[in-house]
Every structure is written in structure tokens, then in C-alpha cells.
Amino acid sequence: MLLMPLLAVAFAAQSPQPARSSPLVTPSTIVEGAPATAWRTVPADRLLLIELADGGRVAIELAEAFAPLHIANIRRLARAGWYDGGAVYRVQDNYVVQWGDGTEKKPLPPGVSTKLPAEYDRESQALALRPFGYRDGYVADVGYADGWPVARANDRAWLPHCYGMVGVGRDLSPDTGTGAELYAVIGQAPRQLDRNITVVGRVIDGMEALTARPRGTKALGFYERPDQWAGIVSVRIAADLPVNERRGYQVFRTDTPEFAAWIRSRANRKDDFYVLPANGLDICNAMPPTRAAPER
Amino acid sequence: MLLMPLLAVAFAAQSPQPARSSPLVTPSTIVEGAPATAWRTVPADRLLLIELADGGRVAIELAEAFAPLHIANIRRLARAGWYDGGAVYRVQDNYVVQWGDGTEKKPLPPGVSTKLPAEYDRESQALALRPFGYRDGYVADVGYADGWPVARANDRAWLPHCYGMVGVGRDLSPDTGTGAELYAVIGQAPRQLDRNITVVGRVIDGMEALTARPRGTKALGFYERPDQWAGIVSVRIAADLPVNERRGYQVFRTDTPEFAAWIRSRANRKDDFYVLPANGLDICNAMPPTRAAPER
């Protein structure tokens, strides 16, 4: 009976992460209080916008510095309208959502390369990697570079397979990925895919349009029948759209004092709810916050 | 054009995790080939069965050794039929799905304690912790004990917040959780909740009935309106059901050579698809496999 009055006034707090009820510094207050200069705007030519037949909208930032050849292919596919009429044809719980041409029969348009070299990692020396500060379970060295979470080993650097990251489906041979079939991570980071697949970006808006879908019941989460697919109306590079049809996004910069404070705060949650700070953090639990670009 | 013939014969392989096409040892072949003795049957009094109004069915194994007082409360709530007519009222993407009494008005039945001590961790000395063998990002020591993944520090041990783990919603004060409001993790392991919330078990079947739901659009993923809730028909302890209505489950044992081989194989994926083994593994990517109990 004691619980009821408490719940009546603080329903949102009856949860693993309560509403803020104090002026304590938390990850949220740091982001909300950060100046405009703590944010970067995603360039329109690196912003991939997906419209689904059921009204779902997904925005993906493309990681130009990490997979330029595959991203060039994706731009060509989008500009040719190749993805339009395709589908989300695979949803495997705690793993990936995958989309593209579920029929396997649609020819690729001219100018799209079908024999790209793998872009699993790149040399790290030209990347200014800012250390993360907390231990990673997989590699000795993680941090942020060029606005992205990065893992590094032996002078090679790559984008880790965190929740929301987008990769290129491929056949068994590493050079068979074109960017025509893409997937997004929807579960515990499958880091075993790191350096085995080309990662091209990250979903920065609309994850729920991918995650809140029935799981496919065939092996690997493929849907049984095409009528279970979620249709794709269009996939566009924002720069190719009329200015008034573009959506704009910002991502929290990773080279600011505000970001460093946000990381420390996430690793050491201590507020009205948390009684014991973790003093640890997984880089996949520290993906830079995103938001719609403010109206001008 | 090169890609098409390959896809036509190997569609499933056009993905981050291909179908097996060789006799190589993989995590899947190890599980599929394991003898019956590599599995343990979940006792009926530790099996919580949820039936949702939309036909969804969820099975949760209760971790008796880690939260006996909360689990006793959950049994009393289930036996009183208290959860029946409740709802899934919160789905926060990449975080948790939560259910119980969304109205906040339903009195708890007699015999259910409203003032339980927190069961965030337990002393570890009586637990035979088998080392995991791979580094954890949060604590120095992780492994398996009593069939469960376990984290340990300073003679205390606890269940980490991995995908599918089930915890007890609470108010700000640690002694306000009763088990009436429960949640399951549906994203990148929120390990910052470890030792801040009582964990009572794990979803061992039916995760998709929780994860494939629209995300709530209010703060913290709560649904805006009760008509968006997913109704709960019943929540029962399997032991309370007639034998012919019980569902039975098995979990891969964690103290066998087969389990050790499965861990090594997951940490070092090397088959037709993987070109570079990770030589690492997160314990939350090594949750023991589960299956329906074989027919007798």
C-alpha cells in the first residue's frame, strides 16, 4: 500500500531511469544545456533519407571517411532510384534489420560497381583519435574520430558494430558487397562483425521504424513471404532533394568539453535514482546524441 | 551483374551471418550437436509464463539464487492473478519494455510485501563462478554461476543487465520495488543499471512479443494513451498450471565442455563468412542458448 501514493505522483520514476526531479548534473542536462557550438550539422550529401510505405522514416548519416567507395555506390543507387520499390525483408531479433531488393532480381543501374574492395578498416594514423577513457571488451583502444566512435588496433581503425550502425550485406566473398543490401544493428553490439563487414554509417533518426517490426520466422530472421515485407517508397540523398523537402539533423560533437562531460556523467551515473555509479561505460552505450537541426 | 547469380543461389548468405554451407565447427553446430546432458530443464516453479491479448507469449526463467524475496513476491502476485488485465505500457527503444499495472491504481493482494530490501547483489563466496575467459568492459571478473551470467567485484556477485534480462521497476528509494512492475532489456546492455536495480530473471522465449512493438512517444518510452497499451491476459507460474498446459523449456548448461567450446567458438568466429576472428566476446553476447523442452 505504501507504493501507491509514491506511484501516483511519480509514475515516470517507477522505472529504470526516472524523470529528473533535481538540478543534479546528468547526461541529459549536459546535452540539453550545451551551446549550439557543441553540435555539428550533418552535411546534406552524407544524409540518407528512407521513406517506408507504412509512413516510417529513417535518417542515416554516412561515414564518408571510413567507406568512401561503398558510400559512392550508395549515392549512385539512391540517385538512380534503385532502392525505390524495395523492402525491409529481414528482421532478426537482437541482431539486424536488413533491406534492399528482396526479390534478388533487380539489376543494378549503370555506374554502380559490383566489385568493390572491402572497406572493413582504414589506416588510423591520419585520424585524430580522442581516447574514450573506459575499457573496451574487444580491443585495447577505442575512442572518437571525425565525430564517430572508433576502434583501433595495430595502426588500423574501424567503426564498431554498435546499436544503430549500418553495414553492407555481402555474400561469402568479401568483395561481393555493393551497398544495394544494407542492414542496421538492433541488438547487443555484434562486435564479432567488426572488420568482417563494411560499415557505412549510423541511423540517427527513426530507429523505431526498423526495430518495432515483427521478427522474421525463417532462418536468420528473413520473412517467410514477400507480403510480410515492409515496402520502401524512396531512398534519397538529402542533397538531391529540393531544399524545402530536406530534413536536417545535428549530431553532438565528440571533440568538446561538453562531450567529455557527457561521457564522464554516463560512466558515473549518480543522481536521485542511481545509488552506485558503474565507473565504466561501453562505447556502444556512448553513441553521440542526435537531434533535428534547429529551424533557422 | 556478377552479384546476381551468387545471390540467386545463396540469398541467406547475403547477410551478416550466412547460412552454414560447410562442416566447419560453429557456435550453431556445437549447440545442435550437444548431447541431452548439455541442457538443463527449467523447474516449473521458476518459469513465469505471460500471455498477451494479441497472442504474444513470453517465458521468463526466474533466478532464484539472486533475488529470492522479489521472486517470492512475483509468485504471490501471479498466484493471486494480480497481473491479469495489466498491460505493457512502456517501450523505450534500445532500453527497456515494461509491464504491470499502467493505471497505478490496482491494490496489491494480501501477502505481497511492499517493503522488500533491495536484492541488487549477493555475496559471491558460495557461488562457484566459472571464469568467462574474455575481458569485460565494466568489471574485472565475469563468468557463469548456477547457470547464469554473473559479474563479480569485492566478494559481491550480481546478474548483469544483458539483452533479455528482467528487472524490477522501482521508485527512487531502493526498497520500493515489489515485482509488480517488471521490465526486460531490449537494447545494448545498460550495465549502468547493474547493482542499482533488482534483477529477477531472463526472457528465454518470446522476446519478439516484447521487442516488436511500437515505441512509446512520451518521455522514457511510456505510451501516450492507455489504448496503446498491450493487454496482459495472464501471468502464471508454470507449476501452478495443469501439467498439460505448461510449456517446458531447457537452457544450455554453463558447466559443460560443450558450453566452453561454444564460448570459444563465438569469440573466434572463423568460417566461410568470417575472415577475421574477434578473439573477444562480451558476456552479454554469450547468453546461454534456450529451447523448448523435447517431447517425452
Side-chain angles (χ1 to χ4, degrees):
Chain A
M1 303 300 283
L2 182 66
L3 199 58
M4 292 301 117
L6 274 175
L7 290 181
V9 297
F11 183 54
Q14 170 206 25
S15 70
Q17 185 180 316
R20 312 293 168 214
S21 59
S22 78
L24 283 170
V25 173
T26 71
S28 295
T29 64
I30 291 167
V31 171
E32 289 157 12
T37 51
W39 296 85
R40 60 180 177 83
T41 299
V42 177
D45 66 343
R46 298 185 184 180
L47 182 60
L48 193 69
L49 300 174
I50 303 177
E51 305 276 339
L52 299 176
D54 60 11
R57 305 174 106 191
V58 179
I60 293 167
E61 181 179 14
L62 298 169
E64 192 76 32
F66 292 86
L69 299 176
H70 285 78
I71 289 171
N73 246 18
I74 290 168
R75 284 203 186 91
R76 290 187 201 104
L77 288 160
R79 284 178 183 157
W82 184 85
Y83 296 106
D84 306 0
V88 179
Y89 51 76
R90 176 189 185 193
V91 183
Q92 184 171 0
D93 197 60
N94 192 18
Y95 198 43
V96 297
V97 172
Q98 189 169 322
W99 64 91
D101 170 31
T103 72
E104 312 167 62
K105 290 178 183 167
K106 197 167 174 177
L108 296 180
V112 170
S113 175
T114 57
K115 197 88 180 174
L116 291 176
E119 293 179 301
Y120 297 164
D121 55 14
R122 49 162 288 175
E123 56 81 24
S124 65
Q125 290 181 323
L127 282 178
L129 189 71
R130 300 173 74 92
F132 180 50
Y134 298 95
R135 188 170 56 178
D136 184 64
Y138 287 83
V139 294
D141 208 5
V142 292
Y144 297 88
D146 199 35
W148 294 86
V150 170
R152 181 169 67 178
N154 303 323
D155 297 326
R156 303 299 293 176
W158 63 93
L159 301 175
H161 271 80
C162 296
Y163 193 95
M165 295 298 284
V166 175
V168 171
R170 67 163 166 89
D171 250 316
L172 294 181
S173 178
D175 63 4
T176 50
T178 62
E181 315 302 316
L182 297 171
Y183 66 89
V185 171
I186 62 162
Q188 178 68 24
R191 297 280 298 277
Q192 74 276 10
L193 295 174
D194 288 8
R195 307 183 81 181
N196 284 289
I197 282 200
T198 298
V199 175
V200 293
R202 175 189 170 205
V203 176
I204 56 172
D205 190 32
M207 269 301 280
E208 67 280 5
L210 300 173
T211 58
R213 296 202 170 281
R215 276 45 184 159
T217 51
K218 276 176 64 172
L220 306 177
F222 286 90
Y223 287 120
E224 299 275 351
R225 306 180 311 276
D227 65 5
Q228 298 172 306
W229 295 349
I232 294 174
V233 174
S234 68
V235 176
R236 294 287 180 273
I237 298 290
D240 296 341
L241 294 172
V243 172
N244 64 346
E245 291 177 24
R246 294 179 193 175
R247 282 134 57 197
Y249 290 95
Q250 294 190 321
V251 178
F252 211 46
R253 284 172 51 185
T254 55
D255 57 352
T256 64
E258 290 79 14
F259 188 76
W262 180 77
I263 292 287
R264 283 194 305 273
S265 178
R266 281 188 73 81
N268 294 284
R269 300 293 292 260
K270 185 73 180 145
D271 55 33
D272 293 348
F273 181 79
Y274 286 89
V275 294
L276 186 71
N279 192 27
L281 188 62
D282 191 295
I283 195 156
C284 289
N285 265 323
M287 302 295 282
T290 63
R291 68 180 186 184
E295 302 285 333
R296 300 203 181 179
Chain B
M1 302 303 284
L2 183 65
L3 199 57
M4 292 301 116
L6 274 174
L7 290 181
V9 297
F11 182 53
Q14 170 205 25
S15 69
Q17 185 180 315
R20 312 292 171 215
S21 59
S22 80
L24 284 170
V25 173
T26 69
S28 294
T29 65
I30 291 167
V31 172
E32 288 157 13
T37 52
W39 296 85
R40 61 181 177 83
T41 298
V42 177
D45 65 343
R46 298 185 185 179
L47 183 59
L48 193 69
L49 300 174
I50 304 177
E51 305 276 341
L52 299 177
D54 60 11
R57 305 174 106 192
V58 180
I60 294 167
E61 181 179 15
L62 298 170
E64 193 76 33
F66 293 86
L69 300 176
H70 285 79
I71 288 171
N73 246 16
I74 289 168
R75 283 201 187 91
R76 290 186 200 104
L77 287 160
R79 284 177 182 158
W82 184 86
Y83 296 106
D84 306 0
V88 178
Y89 51 75
R90 176 189 183 193
V91 184
Q92 183 171 0
D93 196 61
N94 192 18
Y95 198 43
V96 297
V97 172
Q98 189 169 324
W99 64 92
D101 170 31
T103 70
E104 312 166 64
K105 290 177 182 165
K106 197 169 177 177
L108 297 180
V112 169
S113 175
T114 57
K115 195 89 180 174
L116 291 176
E119 294 177 301
Y120 297 165
D121 54 15
R122 50 162 286 174
E123 57 81 25
S124 65
Q125 289 179 322
L127 282 177
L129 189 71
R130 299 174 74 93
F132 180 51
Y134 298 95
R135 187 170 58 177
D136 185 63
Y138 287 84
V139 294
D141 208 5
V142 293
Y144 297 89
D146 199 35
W148 293 87
V150 170
R152 180 169 68 177
N154 303 323
D155 296 325
R156 303 298 294 176
W158 62 94
L159 300 175
H161 271 82
C162 296
Y163 193 95
M165 295 298 285
V166 175
V168 171
R170 65 164 168 90
D171 250 316
L172 295 181
S173 178
D175 63 4
T176 51
T178 62
E181 315 301 317
L182 297 171
Y183 66 88
V185 171
I186 61 163
Q188 176 69 24
R191 298 281 299 278
Q192 74 277 8
L193 295 173
D194 287 8
R195 308 183 82 182
N196 284 291
I197 282 199
T198 298
V199 175
V200 293
R202 175 189 170 206
V203 177
I204 56 172
D205 189 32
M207 268 302 279
E208 67 280 6
L210 300 173
T211 57
R213 296 201 169 282
R215 276 46 185 159
T217 50
K218 276 174 65 172
L220 305 175
F222 287 90
Y223 287 121
E224 299 276 350
R225 306 179 312 274
D227 65 6
Q228 297 172 305
W229 295 350
I232 294 173
V233 174
S234 68
V235 176
R236 294 288 180 272
I237 298 290
D240 296 343
L241 294 172
V243 173
N244 64 348
E245 291 178 23
R246 294 180 191 173
R247 282 136 55 198
Y249 291 95
Q250 293 189 321
V251 179
F252 212 45
R253 283 173 52 185
T254 56
D255 57 352
T256 64
E258 290 79 13
F259 188 77
W262 180 76
I263 292 286
R264 283 194 304 274
S265 179
R266 281 187 71 82
N268 294 286
R269 299 293 292 261
K270 184 74 182 148
D271 56 31
D272 293 349
F273 182 79
Y274 286 90
V275 294
L276 185 71
N279 192 29
L281 188 62
D282 191 295
I283 195 156
C284 288
N285 265 324
M287 301 296 281
T290 64
R291 67 180 187 185
E295 302 286 334
R296 299 197 185 184

